[in-house]
Amino acid sequence: MMAFRACLEEARLLIALAAPVLLAQISMVSMGFVDMVMTGRVGPEDMAAVALAGSLWIPLVLFFQGILLAVTPITAQLRGAGEGEKSGHVIRQGLGMALVMAVLLIAIIFGLSYCLEDLGVEARLADLTARYLRAVIWGGVPFLLFVGLRCGAEGMGLMRPAMLAGFLGLLANIPCNYVLIFGEFGFPALGGVGAGYATALVYWVMFFVILHQVRRHGEFRGFLARKNWTRPDPAMIRRIAGIGFPGALAVLLEVSLFAGVALLIAPFGSVVVAGHQVALNFSSFIFMIPLSLGIAATVRTGHGIGLKSPEMVRRTARAALALSLAAAFITAVVTITLRGPIAVMYNKDPAVFALATHLLLYAAAYQWTDAFQVVSVGILRGYNDTRAIFFITLVAYWLIALPLGCVLGRTSLFGDARGPAGFWIAFIVGISTAAVLLAGRLRVLERRFAANPSAASLPR
């Protein structure tokens, strides 16, 4: 009975941490939803350009973000071990890394914007996509600085600053899109390209909001005080990069799978790209629920490791996984029963609607395994075990899912080519494989930590 009550209390703590994160994540994903809906009113070509640009921009953004995610478990472990005063140094070094990575991000995206036709994208779609990319890169610096502040705050258990920044960013996104996409108040009508400029403006809003919010917290304000800034610390940078880089590669591999599929589907035409993107965008939206629980699990797992408490770490894993699977059941039912209204919200074109409603069934099918794997990843981040995440992602998504998708979607090796549906079947297989492998890795780490809690490594 006491163990059950302890699990319920852990579930309550996880929900308290995850709720603000969920609101922040929903706000950020809703920006993509708003972009898709508003550009869809311009036409399928603009909508497809925004989708295709996102399939290039988002993987790279998430890669650099993935490196900074190491700040969260490092900070959580330090605070669990009673060494919270060292968190400021970690956060400051992370912000310095964010600035350098933003410059790299801008350079890469700018170069890619001139290579789209070489990748087989039709000329008109390539032009719109390139112009969007050259607009959105103006938001590279503020976004990664926002991520650095967010990761530090979440490691300290401060979830509300990111929530408020995301919410206000969403509120700013709607009028910015309206003005720049449709050309209001004397501005030219830029269509899908206007959504790129609007996104860049919103990233600046989010950065200044979260900066204001964290500076209201006395301890965090001290971390950012001018007197505490020092030269780059190679040891801490290596520490952050050593933990963050394998995890970032895993994020890149996972997201690039979806981006690669978008490129593989692009030759089928704008309607197919748009239908595929509707299903993928909504799937990404509901994915925020288990992702938020995974972030909360990272914080609680890191704290438990800092405390050297195997029981707390085990309890966190059980509660987080149970909550995520319960949420997955609900989202799967909602996706199946409301797939028609969901598709209409994005685009009313009959061809896009028909394909989107079909693909949403596949999106519903992998809710359980997707929820399990993302929470498992969050727990492994709390252990700093990002290398395992990388190798599991490599095997499940790139050695299994992508080849299978190409075979099912574009060849007749197993019957008629299934087109986009073949790639979605591959998504299900890849995500399920990852869930099984991650479950095995969690079991190994639990046993290892229980046998020797003192062996858990902490940042120096």
Side-chain angles (χ1 to χ4, degrees), residues 268 358 362 407-411 414-423 425:
F268 291 116
H358 177 64
Y362 294 100
V407 169
L408 295 178
R410 303 192 63 170
T411 75
F414 296 103
D416 294 337
R418 293 175 173 83
F423 289 98
I425 293 170

Side-chain angles (χ1 to χ4, degrees), residues 129-154:
T129 303
R131 289 165 56 205
Y132 177 97
L133 289 172
R134 291 194 287 271
V136 78
I137 58 174
W138 291 99
V141 169
F143 182 78
L144 287 180
L145 289 175
F146 162 79
V147 171
L149 290 173
R150 175 179 180 171
C151 290
E154 289 177 347

Side-chain angles (χ1 to χ4, degrees), residues 149-206:
L149 290 173
R150 175 179 180 171
C151 290
E154 289 177 347
M156 296 172 63
L158 303 174
M159 307 300 194
R160 292 188 179 181
M163 176 189 72
L164 185 59
F167 180 70
L168 292 179
L170 175 60
L171 290 182
N173 190 47
I174 297 172
C176 287
N177 267 347
Y178 180 71
V179 169
L180 296 174
I181 292 175
F182 301 110
E184 301 292 339
F185 305 107
F187 286 86
L190 300 175
V193 177
Y197 285 111
T199 298
L201 286 172
V202 166
Y203 287 159
W204 282 104
V205 171
M206 291 169 58

Side-chain angles (χ1 to χ4, degrees), residues 426-451:
F427 290 162
I428 296 171
V429 174
I431 290 169
S432 300
T433 301
V436 171
L437 295 175
L438 287 165
R441 182 59 179 172
L442 280 179
R443 187 62 175 164
V444 170
L445 291 182
E446 275 190 4
R447 290 176 175 175
R448 186 180 299 169
F449 185 51

